[in-house]
């Protein structure tokens, strides 16, 4: 069996790390959602309504989406991560007049 030199082992390790980094970057790029998809998720979760405010913040390689939605007498504050998962949802009802 042939012995590998230290340089050969380092080369293999560096190559493996590079391949894993590329695979990770591609996975993040494919799995993340854009603003239009995040809006769709938010509106589906609240049963429709009107988006009255939105904020998009950058969290590394992906964005985080925050929406305020009004649907009838209900107000929703919803947060969606870059992969389309709802991370926070608060609902309040407007007081009767």
């Amino acid at each position: 069996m042939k012995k590998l030199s230290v340089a050969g082992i380092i080369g293999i390790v560096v190559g493996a790390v590079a391949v894993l980094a590329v695979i990770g970057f591609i996975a993040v790029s494919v799995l993340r959602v854009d603003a239009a998809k995040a809006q769709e998720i938010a509106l589906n979760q609240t049963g429709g309504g009107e988006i009255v405010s939105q904020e998009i913040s950058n969290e590394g390689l992906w964005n985080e989406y925050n929406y305020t939605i009004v649907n009838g007498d209900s107000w929703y504050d919803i947060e969606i991560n870059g992969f389309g998962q709802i991370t926070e949802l608060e609902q309040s009802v407007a007081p009767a007049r």
Side-chain angles (χ1 to χ4, degrees):
M1 179 181 241
K2 189 176 179 183
K3 287 188 173 182
L4 289 176
S5 67
V6 173
I9 293 171
I10 291 173
I12 290 171
V13 170
V14 168
V17 168
V19 167
L20 289 174
V22 169
I23 290 171
F25 180 76
I26 291 170
V28 166
S29 297
V30 169
L31 296 174
R32 68 182 176 183
V33 297
D34 61 6
K37 183 64 177 171
Q39 284 182 3
E40 179 184 329
I41 293 166
L43 289 170
N44 285 339
Q45 183 65 34
T46 61
E50 178 184 350
I51 297 174
V52 294
S53 74
Q54 65 181 354
E55 180 181 332
I56 301 172
S57 58
N58 191 322
E59 299 289 332
L61 294 176
W62 58 86
N63 294 329
E64 184 175 275
Y65 306 94
N66 296 291
Y67 299 101
T68 301
I69 298 172
V70 177
N71 187 357
D73 291 340
S74 296
W75 286 72
Y76 299 90
D77 288 316
I78 187 166
E79 183 177 289
I80 300 171
N81 69 16
F83 295 110
Q85 300 297 313
I86 297 168
T87 56
E88 187 176 324
L89 175 64
E90 295 179 15
Q91 177 184 6
S92 59
V93 178
R97 294 181 188 192

